[in-house]
Amino acid sequence: MPLIRHTYPTPLGDMTALLSERGLCLLEFERGTRGLAHEREQVEAARGGPPRADAGALTGRLGDELAEYFAGRRRSFDIPLDFVGTPFQIAVWRALLEIPYGETRSYAQVARQIGRPSAIRAVAAATGRNKISVIVPCHRVIGSDGSLTGYGGGLARKRRLLTLERPGLPPG
């Protein structure tokens, strides 16, 4: 199966997905996202791109899961994932998947979780290279002092995602 590209409207802007025969490789906001072109090229190179626009069972399933999430009816995703990254990055992304809905972790906590407590900056860099936004919840990673730190889709989106998951979160 060739790489498939599909676009989904969300309350925070359109998202582009790239799916391989194994699962979702990329899901990013189209506007206001750093590095989307580079991430897309990396996935295409690794999975035999360029992608073709298409729809099917997997694209429909992803659309349903995203709609349920943004409506507040889904706390976790079932769509299969096909990570494209280094072994270290993939270890970090798998750790992010373990952060419960409505909770946050610091980069230091994630570094300890993967058994690399001194690799805080490397964890932050790997988190920033996450290609599967929302589903691999990099928005749930914050600074050790509780501050919102970088997010490829912008801090305003990060705050909105966190507020969706934890409505009592203070604004700003």
Side-chain angles (χ1 to χ4, degrees), residues 40-122:
R40 192 178 291 178
E41 290 169 6
Q42 188 180 23
V43 170
E44 289 175 11
R47 298 295 183 262
R52 63 182 170 84
D54 201 356
L58 204 53
T59 58
R61 180 175 165 189
L62 177 57
D64 291 345
E65 290 188 14
L66 285 170
E68 291 167 1
Y69 171 80
F70 283 107
R73 295 188 314 266
R74 177 173 285 275
R75 292 175 168 245
S76 63
F77 293 87
D78 301 317
I79 196 87
L81 304 178
D82 181 13
F83 291 120
V84 175
T86 67
F88 180 81
Q89 289 171 332
I90 292 170
V92 170
W93 301 335
R94 289 189 189 287
L96 300 181
L97 287 168
E98 296 178 24
I99 302 172
Y101 181 94
E103 295 185 21
T104 57
R105 299 289 184 271
S106 70
Y107 296 101
Q109 288 172 307
V110 175
R112 285 192 300 273
Q113 180 181 344
I114 65 167
R116 303 277 304 272
S118 64
I120 298 167
R121 287 183 183 209

Side-chain angles (χ1 to χ4, degrees), residues 7 9 15 22 25 40 64-65 67 71 76 79 85 117-119 121 134 138 140 151 155 160 163:
T7 302
M15 297 188 83
R22 291 179 269 186
C25 302
R40 192 178 291 178
D64 291 345
E65 290 188 14
S76 63
I79 196 87
S118 64
R121 287 183 183 209
V134 177
C138 55
R140 295 179 190 156
Y151 181 65
L155 290 180
R160 288 187 65 193
T163 301

